[in-house]
Each structure stands twice: as structure tokens, then as C-alpha cells.
Amino acid sequence: MSEDTPTAPLPPCDLAIIGGGAGGVLVAMQALRQATTPLRIVMIEPRSVLAQGVAYATTHGEHLLNVPAARMSAFDDRPEDFLDYVVATTPPGGPERASLAHAFIERRRYGEYLRVRLAEAIAASPAQLQVVHDRVAELEPRSDGATLRLARHGELQAAGVVLAVGNTPKPLPARGAPQLPEGRSLAAWDFDAVKAIPRDADLCIVGSGLSMVDTVLSLAENGHAGTIHVLSRHALLPLPHCHGPAATFDPAPLQAMDLRTRLRFLRTAAKEAMADGLPWQSVMERIRPHVQALWQSLPLPEQRRFLRHGVRQWDVHRHRIAPEVHARLHSLVERGQLRLHRGRLDTVMAEGPRLRVSTHARDGRIDEFDVDYVVNATGVEMRAQTMRNPLLHDLLGKGHAQAGPHGIGLKAARDGRMVDAQGQPQPRVFILGSLRIGCIWESIAIPELRGQADTAVRGLLAPPAA
């Protein structure tokens, strides 16, 4: 792998990968593995370290993967590859392989794993990978490739492009947030800033999903003594994983049902599973491979109904956390240190030395409390128009792309090719990850990312049809 010089012109390449987080690294590994000739691959990523998007940038040991090690391989054809890496890098005398397979490993080790496997793929491939630390400002698709315009390196001609821009955090949804004193409003993904919060400070975490969990774990690891307020519309904490087999019911009839009937079906299946001695989580494991088909089979009005009324219930049941993490959260709740508030954030402003947080409950009641810090844990931005990404704005503005269903991400063909404003797939530009959520819903977990990476690379490296 070669690194770029600051402003050197870039020769044409066979494949340009925009983004060097987990998704971009998975694409690069697939391209290196599938290459049979000395292809030139260029990855454009502004950060200095690869595989450190918002998910895997943490360096703190309390932040765990939300999936057991046995299910986190970067390769479909080597399903236990991450487990192999964990076993090989676990010190002697540590847990055995069978135990590690079900363990929730430190998240920082997954980024390390991706970088190790990328280096191995580079060494074994006839292709070459160049990493360019820059940003792509414009992309002009063509039938035979695309022209990329980089902020510092100028134009780059590419025979194929994969857009893997990763996740963008949402802004804090409150009046007064931009006027808060410096350092008092933090992003949950600013892991080091969260770790630096004084132990006796009171704080409000806005959002109750996985980013909130990371923040609370960092505070608990520091021995935090102050009150932790958690505010969200539903005040629902993520639910725990549970080891065991998937339920055995047939999910095929779900596709013919409307949303309400589907939810009733799943509740019944959960009751039947528990009556048979299985956890309710076994039902989620059974439908996990079918989520994309279930989403795509819902009519658009039903999808909108799900986004308005059902998405949070889905999130807490689908995006679960390690049992030990769930137990730690509930211990803080039972002690009264972690306090859940159900409502919408209205305003946050400085009141003397503290911050005044005002919320609206569903019944119209206004609640106020004072804290020292506010942490934004509202998750990732899904609407492409509000992602604050100049490249996406350029693609949409010029009609090279169109917003996905419900304005979520970008519209893509079934194989992942980006669709333009006229509804035509761009033949040499693929998108993956969070940009495809509107089209297929389940799109940011490692199994989906590695599958999308493989499909994109096969589509771009395959010889032209006769």
C-alpha cells in the first residue's frame, strides 16, 4: 500500500473507493482478492487511519461489539475469520475458542483486524492500492467510468467507483444548541471528550440507542458519580442478546402481510418460542436474513407508517447489546443514577454556570432540569440532503443521483448501482452502507457490508459483456 504526497497529480485508476472506513476497507479487500492482473486501486479517505469510521474509531476497552465474534467475519467464504483472528491474538491462558465465539469483543480490535487483513490482501494481490488522504468534492459519471475532482489533488479518472462514505452523526436537535459554551455540548462519538467529563458532573444524553450506551459505559468506567439523564421520545433502552438457536417458523408468509399483521405475527411467534423454551430473541434471529425482502415488500405508505410509529421498537429489538452491558445499564437505573426521560428536546441554553434543558412530553407537559454537559447521541443522519456532505449535495444537485425512498440515503438499483434523477442506473458507480438504507433498510451491519462490497467489486471488475 502506498500513501499519497500532498498535492501530486493522480494517474488514472481501475477502481476508486470513496471512503476508508469499514465499508471502504471491505471493498478494497475484495478488489485485491479478486484481481488477477496488476490493477490500480485508489482509496480516498481524509483520516490518517483506515477502518476508523464512527463505529470503530474508539480506543477504549469498554466499548464492545454488539455481535458475538463468531458472526463478524469480513468474508462470506471464511465465516469464522474474525474468530480466528481473536483466537490468534488472545494471550496464552485466555479464554478458549468455544468461549470466544460467543464473546462480545472490544470494538477497537475489529478495526485492528480489518487493517491486518487489508495488509495481508495487499501482500497477496497482483493489484496495487494507493491511499489518498483527501476529499472528493465532485463526481461526474460516464458510461465507461467517472471523473472525480478532489479538494487537493485535482482530477482523477476512474474506470469504476464505489461510494462508501460511511455514517454522518445527526446535529443536536435543540434550539440554543449552537450558542452553548465551548466544550459543554459533546458528540457521543467524540469518545475522548466524553471520557474527560468530570466524575461529579451532571449530564443529559440526548438519545437512548447504541451511542448512548457507549457514553454511559465510558462514564461508568471512570467511576462517574453525577446524575446521568437520558432523554428520548420513547425512553427505551436497547435489549440484550441471548445465546441459542433461531426459531423455526416459516417467515415467507410475512411478505404478503401489511405492517400491523406482521407485527402481530411476530408477537405471536415470540410467545410460541418462549413457550417452547426459546428466548424471544430467537424470532429476531429467524427473520434476520429476510429483513431486506420484508422491507422491499412493504408498500411505500406502509414503510412510512413503520418510520413514524414502529422504528424505535424495531431498533431496540433488532440492534441488541451484550448481556453484561445490558445488566450494567439496568444497575445504574435501579440505583437512580441513570434517569430516563420520555419526551422531545426543545431548548438547551446556558443558565449561569449550568445548562438548562427543556423538554416536551407527549401529553404536552414541559419538563426542565439543569446539567453541566449535554451529549448528542441521536444517531446517524439518514437523509442525504442533510448529511452536510459536499459530494452528495453535488450528485443530487446535478441529477447524477436521486434521494432514496422517504429521502433516506440515495436510490440504488438492486445490485447497488447508483440511480440518477431520470431513474437510470449509473453503470460504473456503486454505493454501499448507510446510503442504501432507504432502499433495503438492513444495510450497515458487517454481513450486509461485506456482501455489498463483493457484489460491487464483481460488477466493476467483470469483463464487459459481449
Side-chain angles (χ1 to χ4, degrees):
M1 179 172 67
S2 64
E3 299 282 337
D4 70 307
T5 53
T7 56
L10 298 172
C13 66
D14 299 285
L15 173 62
I17 304 168
I18 304 176
V25 170
L26 289 171
V27 174
M29 288 194 292
Q30 285 294 340
L32 291 162
R33 294 177 80 209
Q34 294 182 30
T36 57
T37 58
L39 300 177
R40 173 171 156 74
I41 305 166
V42 174
M43 177 183 286
I44 304 104
E45 166 56 51
R47 287 167 294 201
S48 60
V49 180
L50 300 182
Q52 281 201 345
V54 293
Y56 305 114
T58 177
T59 60
H60 304 296
E62 65 268 19
H63 298 148
L64 306 181
L65 293 170
N66 295 312
V67 177
R71 293 161 48 190
M72 286 293 290
S73 173
F75 310 103
D76 280 331
D77 59 344
R78 286 154 47 183
E80 294 194 343
D81 187 66
F82 179 61
L83 178 58
D84 293 339
Y85 172 83
V86 171
V87 171
T89 55
T90 296
E96 297 294 328
R97 183 184 183 90
S99 176
L100 289 170
H102 298 293
F104 296 83
I105 305 299
E106 294 176 6
R107 217 156 65 224
R108 60 188 176 187
R109 293 182 67 183
Y110 196 75
E112 295 167 359
Y113 157 72
L114 291 178
R115 289 188 289 276
V116 167
R117 291 296 187 253
L118 177 62
E120 294 170 351
I122 291 169
S125 177
Q128 292 187 338
L129 174 66
Q130 179 182 7
V131 177
V132 177
H133 296 298
D134 203 344
R135 297 181 184 275
V136 179
E138 299 179 41
L139 188 159
E140 296 284 341
R142 305 187 310 271
S143 60
D144 61 346
T147 299
L148 282 62
R149 294 184 179 87
L150 281 62
R152 294 186 296 116
H153 288 77
E155 287 192 355
L156 170 63
Q157 303 296 330
V161 177
V162 179
L163 195 57
V165 298
N167 301 317
T168 302
K170 290 181 181 178
L172 187 65
R175 290 182 292 147
Q179 287 75 44
L180 292 179
E182 185 176 357
R184 304 288 289 282
S185 176
L186 309 175
W189 284 322
D190 190 347
F191 303 111
D192 292 338
V194 169
K195 290 284 281 190
I197 293 175
R199 292 178 66 250
D200 59 349
D202 298 331
L203 66 148
C204 175
I205 305 174
V206 184
S208 59
L210 300 180
S211 300
M212 176 277 298
V213 174
D214 281 347
T215 299
V216 173
L217 290 177
S218 288
L219 296 170
E221 196 69 17
N222 282 357
H224 196 80
T227 301
I228 305 169
H229 300 273
V230 173
L231 170 67
S232 71
R233 289 178 57 195
H234 301 91
L236 295 173
L237 298 178
L239 295 169
H241 277 281
C242 187
H243 298 312
T248 57
F249 66 90
D250 180 10
L254 283 163
Q255 293 196 36
M257 301 175 186
D258 63 19
L259 179 63
R260 189 184 300 274
T261 308
R262 290 182 185 189
L263 295 176
R264 191 159 50 239
F265 179 98
L266 293 176
R267 290 190 189 101
T268 301
K271 291 178 182 177
E272 292 174 350
M274 290 188 288
D276 293 337
L278 294 174
W280 64 262
Q281 290 92 331
S282 66
V283 173
M284 300 303 294
E285 294 303 315
R286 181 70 183 99
I287 67 168
R288 170 74 176 82
H290 306 276
V291 171
Q292 291 185 1
L294 290 171
W295 176 256
Q296 291 172 316
S297 64
L298 273 180
L300 287 176
E302 290 284 88
Q303 290 181 356
R304 284 194 293 270
R305 186 170 292 113
F306 171 81
L307 292 170
R308 284 197 307 269
H309 304 298
V311 66
R312 184 56 187 153
Q313 285 286 349
W314 169 262
D315 284 345
V316 300
H317 288 82
R318 162 67 186 92
H319 300 290
R320 302 187 297 278
I321 55 179
E324 59 268 32
V325 171
H326 184 263
R328 195 167 192 182
L329 288 178
H330 275 269
S331 174
L332 293 170
V333 172
E334 290 169 0
R335 295 206 318 249
Q337 186 180 6
L338 182 62
R339 302 179 185 177
L340 295 171
H341 300 263
R342 185 178 183 180
R344 290 179 180 270
L345 180 61
D346 184 14
T347 62
V348 55
M349 59 185 65
E351 285 283 339
R354 309 195 81 195
L355 306 179
R356 175 71 49 83
V357 177
S358 298
T359 73
H360 272 97
R362 295 182 66 179
D363 60 6
R365 179 175 46 85
I366 297 177
D367 188 20
E368 292 185 337
F369 49 89
D370 291 344
V371 295
D372 301 297
Y373 293 86
V374 172
V375 178
N376 179 8
T378 53
V380 299
E381 183 62 73
M382 295 200 296
R383 295 177 61 85
Q385 300 94 325
T386 55
M387 284 184 180
R388 307 182 302 282
N389 185 312
L391 173 58
L392 299 183
H393 291 174
D394 182 72
L395 289 170
L396 292 167
K398 293 178 178 175
H400 298 318
Q402 62 171 288
H406 319 291
I408 299 174
L410 300 181
K411 188 171 184 179
R414 286 190 174 271
D415 63 358
R417 284 180 168 87
M418 186 172 71
V419 173
D420 67 16
Q422 286 71 47
Q424 297 301 311
Q426 304 282 11
R428 305 296 295 171
V429 180
F430 282 74
I431 61 176
L432 88 166
S434 61
L435 291 178
R436 294 182 65 182
I437 289 177
C439 294
I440 57 178
W441 190 250
E442 189 76 56
S443 189
I444 60 174
I446 289 297
E448 281 66 42
L449 289 177
R450 71 192 182 206
Q452 292 173 20
D454 178 68
T455 300
V457 169
R458 290 184 186 281
L460 291 171
L461 298 191

